[in-house]
Amino acid sequence: MPVVLMVTGSGLQNRDEEILDHKPFLVIADYLAKHGIASLRYDDRSVGKPRGDAVNATAYNNMKDAVAGVEFLRKMNKFGKVGVLGHSEGGCIAFMIGAERKADFIVSLAGGGVRGDSVLVEQNRVALKQSGMPENLCNDYCNALREVYLYKIANGKIENGQAVIDSIVKETKANIPVGAQQNLLQILNSQNP
């Protein structure tokens, strides 16, 4: 019997990937079981009983957690092929595990096909539009946000964040309120990997 390890998306989630009273991983695991495929789900770091530093965990750390799950399933000697099914960031982790040939197969459910900073900009764009922000303001903010991420990637440690934000706002001609600029400054100064 094949088995899949199920890897959640970004954010701290339980083994069911529960959101708004829906449990998509529970539903998928039930479907797979009814079709002869076993699954293993696990809570993210610091959710439920698991320990570990979730705040500073990167996709690479989360991949190592998932690889430990794959290795656990292999050591059980009860399954045929061992795969990884990941949703969103979990889909990206599935790709990473597949690239290292740690799994026999992978399934990516809405895993990103672009860099993480591009995903974050587009997620912000959607959230801002849904909140009712005017499109021109939304575009200006997201253009500046993209530049903030590119600056962080290129420069690492930030000496004078406000000067960087002022420069990015001027360079992108972003017409955004002070509160939005302060949010960009907070993102720029964040040391969370």
Side-chain angles (χ1 to χ4, degrees):
M1 170 187 305
V3 63
V4 294
L5 177 78
M6 299 175 78
V7 183
T8 64
S10 61
L12 300 177
Q13 299 170 41
N14 67 17
R15 67 192 67 211
D16 294 329
E17 203 180 39
E18 189 169 351
I19 183 167
L20 301 174
D21 296 325
H22 180 52
K23 300 176 180 183
F25 273 18
L26 176 64
V27 173
I28 293 168
D30 180 62
Y31 178 87
L32 292 173
K34 289 176 180 173
H35 290 84
I37 301 170
S39 63
L40 174 63
R41 296 170 286 139
Y42 60 97
D43 295 332
D44 290 346
R45 292 175 179 216
S46 79
V47 174
K49 291 186 181 180
R51 290 176 284 179
D53 183 0
V55 173
N56 292 304
T58 65
Y60 181 75
N61 299 123
N62 294 332
M63 182 200 72
K64 291 193 316 187
D65 293 347
V67 167
V70 169
E71 291 170 354
F72 169 77
L73 291 169
R74 288 198 193 284
K75 286 178 186 172
M76 290 179 75
N77 290 319
K78 293 184 177 187
F79 303 105
K81 294 193 181 284
V82 177
V84 175
L85 179 151
H87 172 243
S88 189
E89 182 180 327
C92 296
I93 290 168
F95 286 132
M96 293 164 68
I97 291 170
E100 296 206 2
R101 302 193 184 282
K102 300 283 186 183
D104 298 319
F105 64 92
I106 64 167
V107 177
S108 175
L109 302 174
V114 296
R115 276 189 358 193
D117 57 321
S118 296
V119 172
L120 291 172
V121 169
E122 290 312 308
Q123 286 176 337
N124 271 270
R125 184 182 311 282
V126 169
L128 293 171
K129 283 182 181 178
Q130 288 178 344
S131 74
M133 181 179 278
E135 188 158 348
N136 63 326
L137 187 58
C138 178
N139 289 335
D140 283 357
Y141 178 82
C142 289
N143 289 340
L145 179 61
R146 174 172 278 110
E147 293 304 314
V148 165
Y149 286 133
L150 292 174
Y151 187 90
K152 283 184 68 109
I153 291 166
N155 296 288
K157 188 173 182 182
I158 313 305
E159 294 298 326
N160 185 347
Q162 187 61 57
V164 172
I165 294 301
D166 292 344
S167 174
I168 287 173
V169 168
K170 183 178 178 184
E171 188 178 298
T172 61
K173 298 180 173 115
N175 183 19
I176 54 178
V178 173
Q181 291 181 36
Q182 289 302 311
N183 188 59
L184 293 173
L185 179 61
Q186 187 175 17
I187 292 167
L188 180 70
N189 287 332
S190 169
Q191 296 300 312
N192 185 320

